[in-house]
Amino acid sequence: MMKTTRKMLIIEDEQDISRIIKDYLLKHGLEAAIARNGRDGLSMLEMLQPDFIILDLTLPDMDGIDLCRQIREHSSVPILILSARSSDTDKVLGLGFGADDYMTKPFSLSELLARINAYFRRYELMTATPQPADHVLRFGALTIDRKAFQATVSGKKVAMSAKEFELLYHLASHSNQVFSKTQLLDAIWGYSSYGDENTITVYIRRIREKIEADPANPSYIRTVWGVGYKFSMD
Ligand code: CA
C-alpha cells in the first residue's frame, strides 16, 4: 500500500499549545499546519484539504462549535475537539455537532497521536480492502460507499461525520448482527477509555435523522431492547 503523508490542520489560537502539537506530530511523520482563528481555519481547510482536524473550542473570532458545524456542512474530515471544559455533558454536546472525538486540556500528546493513528488505521482498512465489487452496500433507497466514505439516500448525498459513517458502515456490513453499545464503542473508537455508552445513543439518533424517512420508526438501524442495535431491513 502506498504510504502518503497525512496532513493535519490544527485550529488553535494558543500558540504554545499549537506549536507543541505541531512539533510532536511532525516528529511522528505527520504534516501539520496551524490556523490561529476560525476564519483562517476555514480557508486553510479549503486550501490544504487536510486529512484530520484538531479544533480548539475557544477561538478569538468564533465559537469552535459553530466552526465545527460549518465544516460539517461540506466535509466529512475527521474532527477532534480540544476543550478546557471537562464535564461529561460537554463531551456529549461536543459529539452532537459533528465532531468525531474529544479531548480535554490538559491532554497527553501520545494519547492524541494514538487516537489519530487509530483513526487512520481504520480508515485505511475500510478504504483499501481489495474487493472492488463490494465496496458499495445497497439497502433500498440507501447506499453506503466505503471507498468514497459516502452514504446516499435516494441518490442524495448524506452529510456525515467520519465517525457517523464508520458506525453506519459497521452496522450495515454486519447486517442482522446485534451489537451492544460497548461493542460499537470498541469497534468504532477502538479504545475503552473513551466516553460512555451515551455516545452511541447520540450517534445512532443522528444517523437515523439523516437516513431514515421516519427516525422514530427506523427501517434500517433497529433498537434491540436491553441489548443494543442491529442493521436490518426485515
Ligand atoms: Ca483557545
Side-chain angles (χ1 to χ4, degrees), residues 12-14 56 58:
E12 161 69 284
D13 57 314
E14 285 166 80
D56 181 45
T58 42

Side-chain angles (χ1 to χ4, degrees), residues 57-230:
L57 271 196
T58 42
L59 297 167
D61 60 337
M62 65 175 87
D63 188 339
I65 292 175
D66 290 336
L67 180 57
C68 191
R69 278 205 199 95
Q70 283 186 50
I71 294 171
R72 207 40 94 215
E73 277 167 21
H74 49 84
S75 169
S76 65
V77 62
I79 301 174
L80 183 147
I81 297 279
L82 295 178
S83 168
R85 294 175 295 202
S86 65
S87 71
D88 275 342
T89 316
D90 276 344
K91 189 175 278 183
V92 173
L93 277 180
L95 295 167
F97 52 80
D100 296 291
D101 207 343
Y102 189 103
M103 288 184 85
T104 307
K105 293 176 182 175
F107 56 90
S108 121
L109 285 168
S110 58
E111 169 77 16
L112 175 68
L113 183 68
R115 291 190 186 195
I116 293 167
N117 282 335
Y119 168 77
F120 286 136
R121 265 197 307 278
R122 279 195 315 280
Y123 181 84
E124 274 166 22
L125 271 177
M126 285 179 75
T127 54
T129 313
Q131 292 165 323
D134 68 17
H135 69 84
V136 181
L137 303 176
R138 290 171 214 280
F139 304 92
L142 175 69
T143 68
I144 306 167
D145 186 332
R146 186 188 64 208
K147 264 197 181 320
F149 239 65
Q150 178 71 61
T152 62
V153 175
S154 305
K156 228 180 131 221
K157 285 184 178 181
V158 182
M160 284 189 153
S161 77
K163 281 283 195 285
E164 286 169 356
F165 181 83
E166 285 183 65
L167 181 54
L168 173 62
Y169 182 81
H170 186 78
L171 287 165
S173 60
H174 299 88
S175 200
N176 290 314
Q177 190 177 329
V178 182
F179 292 95
S180 71
K181 292 177 185 176
T182 309
Q183 285 174 321
L184 292 173
L185 267 178
D186 249 27
I188 310 303
W189 279 265
Y191 38 87
S192 49
S193 66
Y194 184 82
D196 55 29
E197 298 184 347
N198 283 337
T199 306
I200 296 296
T201 314
V202 170
Y203 267 77
I204 295 286
R205 191 175 65 226
R206 279 178 26 221
I207 294 170
R208 280 176 175 159
E209 282 164 4
K210 293 175 182 190
I211 65 168
E212 299 281 359
D214 177 7
N217 293 296
S219 53
Y220 299 114
I221 299 176
R222 310 301 180 90
T223 302
V224 182
W225 294 106
V227 187
Y229 299 98
K230 68 171 179 180

Side-chain angles (χ1 to χ4, degrees), residues 29-47:
L30 296 162
E31 269 178 33
I34 296 172
R36 304 220 178 280
N37 56 56
R39 226 187 45 188
D40 288 359
L42 280 173
S43 60
M44 287 172 82
L45 169 67
E46 210 159 296
M47 241 162 38

